[in-house]
């Protein structure tokens, strides 16, 4: 199962496709802003056993009538097998859609970003037939956003900046600015504010910055206090108990994750039946709840949480 930070680093482009244009501008690459965008199937598997799946795939259409495909990959560590997969993605997408593909690799650590930025030639050294050249966003690619005013002007970019810098000393300043901006936004658009707050929490992973963000949410964001702050306080009390209370902490995390799923669905306007609610609350498996939470970010209905990648109901 992919990690929550992995999901956040590519799914945020589904939420705001134009974020790609604003983000890569900071590294000197210019694209026209899209006037429309739409998701495409991420499954790039052909009729053979080997499965290939890109993280996020979008079609972007610009004002001048041009179109291109944006394939976003969230990469957590160097992987020598990846360049071959990326080359396959680009050639397959070009052949299938007859549109120019752009590969964007998002990395939350500098070592991985440096590795991903290398151009990889495929073919004999005398004449490589293909060169893989991904665009890469890493911790140093985006500006450090320190003021709430600046954060409010582009909340998706602020979320991405904080997620990429989650291990840096600058992370705290960005998160505080984002917290204030989301609090102001919640007065007019509580649903959008909640949605990006959840993206931020997911994007921070298991880092000290994630603990700071939870404190900011519990203290400052009133729209989270009713269901999240209580869980956070309980989690804090549990962490202070002796090792013999591990089972209680596990139960608290399970209950908190189930509530997070229901909160996310409600803030996205997704109706949840009593049976579906009972199913979520009664689940005691953190891994299953994590999968359901990931699906809840983009699901069109609560029922989609309970089907696997092939569309079959999970047992």
């Amino acid at each position: 199962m992919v990690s929550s930070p992995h999901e956040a680093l590519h799914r945020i482009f589904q939420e705001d496709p134009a974020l790609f244009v604003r983000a890569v501008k900071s590294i000197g690459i210019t694209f026209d802003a899209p006037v429309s965008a739409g998701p495409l199937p991420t499954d790039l598997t052909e009729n053979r056993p080997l499965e290939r799946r890109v993280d996020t795939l979008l079609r972007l259409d610009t004002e001048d009538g041009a179109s291109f495909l944006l394939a976003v990959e969230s990469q957590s560590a160097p992987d020598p097998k990846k360049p071959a997969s990326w080359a396959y993605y680009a050639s397959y997408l070009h052949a299938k859609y007859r549109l120019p593909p752009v590969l964007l690799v998002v990395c939350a650590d500098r070592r991985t970003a440096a590795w991903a930025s290398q151009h990889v030639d495929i073919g004999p050294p005398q004449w490589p037939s293909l060169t893989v050249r991904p665009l890469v966003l890493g911790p140093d690619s985006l500006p450090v956003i320190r003021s709430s005013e600046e954060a409010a002007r582009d909340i998706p970019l602020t979320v991405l900046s904080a997620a990429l810098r989650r291990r840096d000393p600058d992370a705290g300043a960005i998160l505080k600015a984002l917290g204030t901006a989301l609090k102001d936004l919640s007065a007019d658009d509580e649903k959008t504010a909640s949605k990006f707050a959840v993206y931020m929490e997911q994007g921070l992973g298991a880092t000290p910055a994630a603990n700071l963000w939870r404190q900011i949410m519990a203290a400052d964001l009133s729209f989270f206090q009713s269901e999240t702050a209580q869980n956070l306080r309980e989690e804090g009390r549990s962490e202070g108990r002796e090792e013999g209370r591990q089972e209680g902490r596990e139960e608290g995390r399970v209950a908190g994750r189930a509530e997070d799923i229901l909160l996310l669905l409600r803030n996205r306007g997704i109706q949840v039946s009593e049976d579906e609610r009972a199913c979520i609350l009664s689940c005691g498996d953190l891994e299953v709840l994590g999968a359901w939470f990931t699906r809840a970010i983009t699901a069109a209905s609560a029922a989609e949480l309970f089907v696997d990648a092939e569309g079959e109901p999970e047992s």
Side-chain angles (χ1 to χ4, degrees):
M1 183 181 68
V2 294
S3 65
S4 294
H6 176 102
E7 292 292 324
L9 285 177
H10 71 85
R11 285 186 183 272
I12 193 170
F13 291 93
Q14 298 178 18
E15 190 63 43
D16 181 3
L19 173 61
F20 161 71
V21 176
R22 304 194 302 276
V24 300
K25 186 177 180 180
S26 64
I27 56 174
I29 308 297
T30 302
F31 283 84
D32 290 335
V35 294
S36 66
L40 297 172
T42 60
D43 191 345
L44 309 185
T45 308
E46 295 185 88
N47 293 326
R48 56 180 184 172
L50 183 61
E51 179 180 339
R52 299 184 187 270
R53 191 179 299 272
V54 68
D55 287 337
T56 282
L57 180 60
L58 300 168
R59 171 177 173 150
L60 302 185
D61 303 313
T62 62
E63 190 173 18
D64 62 359
S67 301
F68 64 94
L69 303 176
L70 176 63
V72 185
E73 284 280 280
S74 176
Q75 191 70 25
S76 59
D79 181 352
K81 297 179 181 179
K82 271 295 183 178
S85 295
W86 294 339
Y88 174 89
Y89 297 164
S91 58
Y92 176 89
L93 291 171
H94 183 262
K96 179 175 182 178
Y97 293 101
R98 296 299 177 184
L99 291 173
V102 176
L103 173 65
L104 177 67
V105 180
V106 189
C107 311
D109 72 271
R110 290 173 175 82
R111 182 173 72 96
T112 305
W115 165 82
S117 298
Q118 299 177 22
H119 297 175
V120 177
D121 292 329
I122 297 177
Q126 302 94 320
W127 193 269
S129 298
L130 187 64
T131 299
V132 181
R133 298 179 60 203
L135 272 173
V136 178
L137 292 176
D140 298 320
S141 301
L142 300 182
V144 177
I145 299 171
R146 299 181 182 276
S147 73
S148 58
E149 293 81 6
E150 188 178 3
R153 285 195 291 270
D154 198 334
I155 285 176
L157 189 69
T158 306
V159 171
L160 183 60
S161 176
L164 293 179
R165 294 180 178 271
R166 62 193 182 211
R167 296 183 181 88
D168 287 5
D170 296 321
I174 304 173
L175 293 176
K176 290 175 183 177
L178 177 63
T180 302
L182 288 179
K183 183 179 181 181
D184 293 340
L185 175 62
S186 68
D188 299 319
D189 191 346
E190 180 178 319
K191 184 183 296 186
T192 298
S194 291
K195 179 169 54 182
F196 281 110
V198 171
Y199 269 112
M200 188 70 271
E201 182 172 358
Q202 293 300 102
L204 294 172
T207 62
N211 295 329
L212 173 60
W213 181 242
R214 294 187 185 102
Q215 294 170 16
I216 292 172
M217 286 195 296
D220 297 334
L221 300 183
S222 59
F223 54 89
F224 267 115
Q225 288 183 1
S226 60
E227 297 191 46
T228 300
Q230 184 175 352
N231 293 333
L232 295 174
R233 288 193 293 271
E234 178 59 30
E235 181 179 318
R237 287 194 294 268
S238 296
E239 290 176 352
R241 295 169 186 164
E242 65 274 15
E243 293 182 3
R245 305 298 296 274
Q246 177 64 38
E247 183 177 350
R249 292 199 297 270
E250 182 72 11
E251 291 176 355
R253 286 193 290 269
V254 167
R257 179 53 80 195
E259 291 291 347
D260 287 345
I261 293 170
L262 293 172
L263 174 65
L264 177 57
L265 291 172
R266 186 174 72 248
N267 287 332
R268 292 188 59 232
I270 303 296
Q271 297 295 320
V272 180
S273 70
E274 287 301 320
D275 288 345
E276 290 165 339
R277 180 182 178 86
C279 181
I280 293 169
L281 291 175
S282 64
C283 180
D285 190 322
L286 266 177
E287 184 171 348
V288 172
L289 288 168
W292 290 353
F293 184 92
T294 297
R295 295 171 191 169
I297 295 174
T298 56
S301 68
E304 291 186 12
L305 270 62
F306 312 114
V307 298
D308 60 21
E310 284 72 38
E312 297 293 330
E314 292 182 327
S315 57

